[in-house]
Amino acid sequence: MFERFTEQARSVVVGAQEQARAMRHPYIGTEHLLLALLDPAVGAPASLLREAGLDTATARAAVQRHLALPRPAFTHEDAEALRTIGIDLQAVLSRLEETLGSEALAVPSAGVRRRGLLRRRARGVARPNGHLPFSGRAKKVLGLALREAVALRHEHISSEHVLLGLIREGDGLAAIVLTEAGVDLDALRLATVHALDEAA
């Protein structure tokens, strides 16, 4: 797929890796792709995002704020799904705390992420070869970028297609940041498609 990326689209991927490294994250997520798209060097997406009401400083602050918030290990939906197959999540969690201690399920402090149920690893530690993996959602964004290019009958995947993929994914941290900034995702999509039409 990457062989179909334009130079600017490749710059988005490289920029996302640089953003992840700068923030000491051990992965490339949708939030890093969004921050990379805000770089004027990647072309039209930077100006489209600014015109929609999002700038780099605001986006970075929102990403840092969201990643600093403790996240529950299990959501209400998780508990409901487990209940449908006969598992009482609260009983399981209570039993774990009884057996392993009250800190076993504590939310890790900033800079530390859980690895498995009990082991911890320092955040930001890259694999030995320096490779930062894409999160599942970031991979989905890149796959959606390809689908957008195919649907628009474009031979290459540009940075605008990556932005369209990011908008279409709609559930990652990037989508949350865009929505909180008041960006109208439908209007941004139309403006992006219009920019692609003008460039053709």
Side-chain angles (χ1 to χ4, degrees), residues 43-135:
S47 60
L48 291 167
L49 286 164
R50 277 194 308 279
E51 289 167 12
L54 185 66
D55 61 62
T56 304
T58 302
R60 182 171 283 112
V63 167
Q64 290 172 332
R65 183 181 73 253
H66 277 281
L67 292 178
L69 295 174
R71 296 178 186 255
F74 299 98
T75 66
H76 176 70
E77 290 81 14
D78 295 332
E80 287 300 315
L82 290 170
R83 190 178 341 276
T84 63
I85 58 172
I87 297 172
D88 182 351
L89 179 60
Q90 193 55 48
V92 171
L93 294 176
S94 296
R95 181 74 176 142
L96 278 171
E97 285 188 344
E98 286 173 21
T99 306
L100 303 172
S102 61
E103 293 298 312
L105 299 173
V107 175
S109 59
V112 175
R113 76 176 177 109
R114 287 197 178 275
R115 187 172 182 208
L117 185 60
L118 303 172
R119 297 186 327 257
R120 295 173 186 237
R121 182 178 114 191
R123 190 178 283 262
V125 177
R127 295 181 181 179
N129 65 1
H131 171 72
L132 292 181
F134 285 96
S135 70

Side-chain angles (χ1 to χ4, degrees), residues 9-39 42 49 56 59-60 62-64 67 123-124 132-139 141-142 162 166 172-175 177:
R10 290 174 195 237
S11 293
V12 171
V13 174
V14 170
Q17 180 171 310
E18 291 169 358
Q19 292 291 337
R21 286 188 192 287
M23 299 178 95
R24 300 182 49 89
H25 296 161
Y27 62 91
I28 300 169
T30 62
E31 62 275 19
H32 305 114
L33 290 169
L34 175 62
L35 290 169
L37 285 164
L38 283 160
D39 182 348
V42 303
L49 286 164
T56 304
R60 182 171 283 112
V63 167
Q64 290 172 332
L67 292 178
R123 190 178 283 262
L132 292 181
F134 285 96
S135 70
R137 289 190 191 279
K139 286 179 188 176
V141 166
L142 298 177
V162 176
L166 193 71
L173 182 51
V177 169

Side-chain angles (χ1 to χ4, degrees), residues 52 178 182-189:
L178 287 166
V183 174
D184 180 335
L185 297 181
D186 292 332
L188 179 59
R189 178 179 173 69

